[in-house]
Amino acid sequence: MPPALNHLSTILSDLLACEDVVKKAHAENYRFEERVGDERRRQYEAEHGPGGATHEEWLKSHEAYLWDAVYLDSPETPDTFLTINEAAQVDPAVWGPRGEKQELVRIEALDFALTHTTIGSVDRVQELLGIHNGDIQCDEVRQTEAKALLEKLCDSLNRNPNARRPRFAAFAEELSGDIGQTDWAERLRDRLGLAHLPPKEKFGPYPVALMRYTVEEVVKRAKKLDASIPLSVPTVLDSEPYEVFHPAPRQAPYGRTLNLAGDEADNDLISEVLHPRIDYRPKHLWKVGVIINRRDLSPERLAELRGNHISLLRRSTGRDDFGMV
């Protein structure tokens, strides 16, 4: 066995047996993953294996893999959307002619964009969005001026250092009940498992935007990249090891987000997909809001959420053996 493979095998065995919930989750996700094809896994393990038998060495080698194969932009195409990831592609019927009008949604943090533009606040974005959409009449700001400022906001989102990554998204129709509520930002933070978004103790209300666009727009972008897969199921090889992420069984047609509120039922698992980055325009800005309340993600709570989630995955797919190692 090559040293890199031996290191990874040792790391996984050690982490699965450890008491650190976060580290154990990283190992579980790799072992539970069923949507990474044999060739992609072989390349990952052979060419980007850890240099030593520690969790830190694995994180380092995994990050190198992401920058080599996943965090790419035109003219290069991430492995996520190439035939090497065919085992994780979403059913082509979803992004074919009959499915292209479906709307996708994604939460974007606005802290970077508000800092690097003259807009300054969520309230100001809300006002500009209202003027741009014709819902607000303002003598001081015309629609063209509002659009220009919103274009600067979108340009900042497009240039964000994280913008090169494949984008996680959900289907608007599945989340319509939450999107219509006044606390939609916190509801979607929970439903989509966005634990990396503040607020934390050092933050106040945290500004976010809800972006909306069509599958058709994603397909057009994929064609420009010569990508063979416009929509894929998220896997452990598409982002950093993340304890709130949980792979879905191969029988699931999409990824399934872990609900931070812990109140999901069998028929309430939210579908999640990955797609190539598209450039945002003002027309993609649907709503802006703030996240105020925090979620408890103590080790005990994280273990409980993951345990409940895998039980839901097993029941919803009829896979009682999923996640058995």
Side-chain angles (χ1 to χ4, degrees):
M1 180 182 292
L5 296 184
N6 187 49
H7 289 328
L8 182 56
S9 179
T10 299
I11 292 168
L12 294 174
S13 296
D14 290 346
L15 295 182
L16 288 170
C18 79
E19 296 183 357
D20 187 309
V21 176
V22 171
K23 292 180 179 180
K24 185 176 182 180
H26 294 171
E28 286 178 341
N29 287 348
Y30 192 83
R31 283 284 180 86
F32 295 173
E33 182 61 73
E34 298 181 343
R35 301 303 289 262
V36 172
D38 293 341
E39 179 62 16
R40 191 180 185 196
R41 190 182 294 270
R42 186 199 66 76
Q43 284 192 11
Y44 172 79
E45 294 181 350
E47 300 175 13
H48 295 85
T54 67
H55 183 240
E56 290 71 24
E57 286 294 329
W58 183 27
L59 294 180
K60 187 188 304 182
S61 63
H62 187 86
E63 182 179 16
Y65 165 78
L66 292 174
W67 285 105
D68 285 346
V70 179
Y71 294 167
L72 307 174
D73 201 359
S74 180
E76 298 180 283
T77 304
D79 281 2
T80 307
F81 310 113
L82 297 176
T83 53
I84 195 172
N85 198 38
E86 188 175 9
Q89 76 169 334
V90 170
D91 187 338
V94 176
W95 44 269
R98 297 183 63 181
E100 287 185 340
K101 300 305 178 184
Q102 293 180 94
E103 292 182 329
L104 296 170
V105 292
R106 173 178 166 82
I107 293 285
E108 290 285 358
L110 286 180
D111 53 343
F112 181 89
L114 291 180
T115 301
H116 291 83
T117 64
T118 60
I119 296 176
S121 71
V122 168
D123 288 342
R124 180 59 169 163
V125 179
Q126 185 68 64
E127 180 185 32
L128 293 172
L129 195 56
I131 295 171
H132 174 261
N133 294 335
D135 299 325
I136 296 176
Q137 299 297 321
C138 180
D139 295 333
E140 290 78 20
V141 181
R142 294 176 296 178
Q143 276 188 310
T144 53
E145 294 170 325
K147 182 179 180 180
L149 288 170
L150 292 176
E151 284 177 341
K152 290 183 178 180
L153 183 76
C154 289
D155 184 57
S156 181
L157 290 175
N158 295 333
R159 291 185 292 104
N160 186 297
N162 292 326
R164 294 178 61 181
R165 306 180 182 203
R167 286 183 172 163
F168 290 81
F171 293 93
E173 185 176 0
E174 283 191 0
L175 292 165
S176 59
D178 295 295
I179 293 172
Q181 303 298 316
T182 56
D183 60 345
W184 63 267
E186 292 183 353
R187 284 172 174 262
L188 295 191
R189 183 270 314 271
D190 290 345
R191 298 294 299 280
L192 299 178
L194 304 178
H196 59 283
L197 291 181
K200 298 176 182 176
E201 291 184 359
K202 65 179 181 179
F203 289 95
Y206 192 72
V208 295
L210 181 62
M211 314 303 291
R212 175 176 57 178
Y213 42 92
T214 64
V215 170
E216 182 178 17
E217 291 176 88
V218 170
V219 171
K220 288 180 178 179
R221 173 61 175 167
K223 288 179 178 178
K224 288 183 178 180
L225 291 174
D226 289 328
S228 54
I229 302 171
L231 297 177
S232 66
V233 176
T235 76
V236 294
L237 297 191
D238 296 308
S239 63
E240 300 93 336
Y242 188 37
E243 57 276 10
V244 178
F245 170 78
H246 201 297
R250 59 179 174 273
Q251 288 79 9
Y254 307 101
R256 299 300 190 189
T257 62
L258 188 153
N259 188 349
L260 301 179
D263 57 0
E264 58 191 354
D266 286 11
N267 61 349
D268 202 29
L269 290 166
I270 297 301
S271 302
E272 183 176 46
V273 297
L274 277 174
H275 66 76
R277 180 186 69 82
I278 66 170
D279 284 331
Y280 291 133
R281 296 290 180 260
K283 68 177 183 178
H284 298 134
L285 276 165
W286 191 1
K287 290 188 172 190
V288 293
V290 294
I291 297 172
I292 300 174
N293 298 309
R294 292 185 294 149
R295 276 292 177 194
D296 171 25
L297 271 186
S298 63
E300 296 78 15
R301 180 57 173 163
L302 177 60
E304 178 186 11
L305 289 173
R306 285 181 61 85
N308 291 342
H309 188 69
I310 196 170
S311 294
L312 289 174
L313 292 174
R314 289 169 177 164
R315 289 200 299 270
S316 66
T317 58
R319 281 287 309 282
D320 293 341
D321 64 333
F322 176 66
M324 298 295 185
V325 296

